[in-house]
Amino acid sequence: MKNVVLKSSFIFLIGFLFIFQSHAQIYVSKTTGDNKNKGTKESPVKEIDKAIEISSAGGTIYIAEGTYSSTFGIGYLESDKPLKLYGSYDKAFTKQDIVSHPTVFQPDNESGGKARKALLKFTKDVDGTIVNGILFDMGRRNAFSPKEGL
């Protein structure tokens, strides 16, 4: 009986370590990603919020160039864990350059009707958080209506 318990505990530990290791680095690409992917360099996810969801605390997220607004166009990013977010990578994730390959988080006006939240919010401990190479732009979100004005 002890042997069975030890084997199952060992398998659980190996599985836990695999999950932790597999989510240590997540890759995001607006052009080649799919949110059903695993988030590897070869198989990136499509949206930043999906990467945040599957990443472990302290994980690193690399984001390729493009304009992002989040899954379902909700217009904000929220995390309950500290992360390292690095944007403005080329499509191959080999070079970070905010001028040549900008990563822009830019929700549209429609997302404002769904939620008026900060563009990026950490709801718990942020110790160790890094945000680098991402332009946050609310320029497309405004309250102007062509019929009703402001």
Side-chain angles (χ1 to χ4, degrees):
M1 186 72 162
K2 287 183 182 181
N3 195 15
V4 172
V5 172
L6 288 175
K7 283 183 182 178
S8 62
S9 297
F10 180 71
I11 291 169
F12 173 76
L13 179 61
I14 295 296
F16 176 77
L17 289 174
F18 174 75
I19 290 168
F20 181 76
Q21 289 293 345
S22 67
H23 293 132
Q25 293 182 338
I26 304 291
Y27 293 84
V28 181
S29 173
K30 192 71 170 176
T31 57
T32 63
D34 186 317
N35 282 347
K36 295 177 184 171
N37 289 348
K38 294 180 180 181
T40 62
K41 189 184 280 191
E42 299 77 22
S43 185
V45 294
K46 187 170 186 164
E47 296 293 344
I48 301 169
D49 56 327
K50 181 63 177 180
I52 290 171
E53 176 188 321
I54 65 175
S55 182
S56 56
T60 303
I61 298 174
Y62 297 99
I63 309 160
E65 62 190 305
T67 301
Y68 298 83
S69 64
S70 72
T71 306
F72 307 118
I74 58 174
Y76 64 90
L77 299 171
E78 190 169 272
S79 177
D80 63 350
K81 57 197 159 222
L83 297 169
K84 297 172 185 76
L85 301 167
Y86 294 102
S88 296
Y89 275 89
D90 61 1
K91 293 177 182 175
F93 298 101
T94 57
K95 183 178 180 187
Q96 184 186 34
D97 185 335
I98 199 165
V99 175
S100 301
H101 311 288
T103 294
V104 181
F105 189 79
Q106 185 180 54
D108 59 17
N109 202 35
E110 186 178 325
S111 70
K114 296 175 186 173
R116 289 279 184 197
K117 293 188 176 186
L119 292 182
L120 176 61
K121 178 181 178 184
F122 287 87
T123 60
K124 292 189 179 178
D125 183 18
V126 295
D127 189 33
T129 295
I130 297 172
V131 179
N132 178 279
I134 303 172
L135 302 168
F136 291 91
D137 180 4
M138 289 184 70
R140 291 182 53 211
R141 186 194 285 184
N142 61 57
F144 179 77
S145 165
K147 293 181 182 179
E148 300 172 20
L150 295 173

